[in-house]
Amino acid sequence: DLLIRSRLMLVLLSHLVMIVASIALAFALRFDFVIPGDQFPLMWQGILIAVPLKVTTFHLMGLSRGWWRFIGILDLMRLFWANVIVSLVFTATTIAIVGRAFPRSIYALDFLVCFCFLAALRLSARLYFEQKMQTRRKNTDNRKRILIYGAGNAALTLMREISSNPSLGYEV
């Protein structure tokens, strides 16, 4: 229970950091890394609007659940669509609150940067755990070799479980 709660807090914190970084980087990209002084208040307004919208939307769409070491294409698609939805809501909300003074290119840049940051974070977790498992596998020479005959989700799930759990003593 404590592990799950601390993991959820870590995921929410990482989302928070990535959201703030994506808005800041979107502004930096828009202004060729020299943000004019009059744009800083707009950037902070954008951050204050984006953080609650995105954290809430990502949580409601299930992006704070699941284990990143098992991320797949379907998870990336869910991440993509969550970013599409929240970017549209962010755009509408920012236009309603800030108005036309907010640079329009930020909406597209933020969408791209936020998606790439969150996808890279999840994929790096998967790569880390797979690399860790490869290292463990090399250290175990007495593994029993098996063949999985069949296709579909059950075979894929079985293969992933065997690959990610070297204590089973099997090599596919």
Side-chain angles (χ1 to χ4, degrees):
D1 193 38
L2 179 65
L3 174 67
I4 292 173
R5 257 189 274 134
S6 62
R7 186 190 163 285
L8 178 62
M9 291 307 295
L10 184 62
V11 169
L12 293 175
L13 180 64
S14 67
H15 283 174
L16 176 74
V17 169
M18 295 296 159
I19 291 164
V20 171
S22 71
I23 295 283
L25 185 58
F27 268 86
L29 289 169
R30 163 63 179 89
F31 295 105
D32 295 328
F33 294 95
V34 182
I35 303 171
D38 65 332
Q39 294 297 313
F40 279 105
L42 293 173
M43 181 178 76
W44 286 111
Q45 285 177 326
I47 289 171
L48 290 175
I49 293 168
V51 166
L53 284 176
K54 289 186 177 195
V55 167
T56 303
T57 302
F58 292 158
H59 184 68
L60 290 175
M61 293 192 72
L63 296 182
S64 37
R65 292 189 310 261
W67 295 97
W68 291 355
R69 64 179 159 179
F70 301 118
I71 189 168
I73 297 296
L74 292 176
D75 299 309
L76 289 177
M77 290 301 296
R78 193 171 71 227
L79 179 66
F80 174 80
W81 286 111
N83 269 285
V84 167
I85 290 167
V86 79
S87 290
L88 292 173
V89 173
F90 171 67
T91 300
T93 306
T94 306
I95 289 171
I97 294 173
V98 179
R100 295 181 107 9
F102 200 83
R104 290 177 304 225
S105 59
I106 298 298
Y107 303 126
L109 289 169
D110 172 59
F111 164 75
L112 292 171
V113 171
C114 190
F115 173 71
C116 289
F117 276 178
L118 293 175
L121 181 66
R122 285 161 167 75
L123 289 173
S124 64
R126 178 172 176 171
L127 289 173
Y128 169 77
F129 281 107
E130 285 188 7
Q131 185 63 33
K132 193 173 165 183
M133 289 301 125
Q134 288 289 353
T135 304
R136 282 188 189 167
R137 259 186 235 123
K138 289 177 184 175
N139 296 335
T140 57
D141 293 332
N142 56 351
R143 296 168 58 96
K144 185 173 182 177
R145 296 179 59 143
I146 62 168
L147 172 70
I148 298 175
Y149 180 76
N153 290 334
L156 183 60
T157 303
L158 179 62
M159 186 183 80
R160 282 186 181 165
E161 178 61 28
I162 290 170
S163 296
S164 66
N165 193 349
S167 64
L168 294 174
Y170 294 111
E171 179 183 354
V172 179

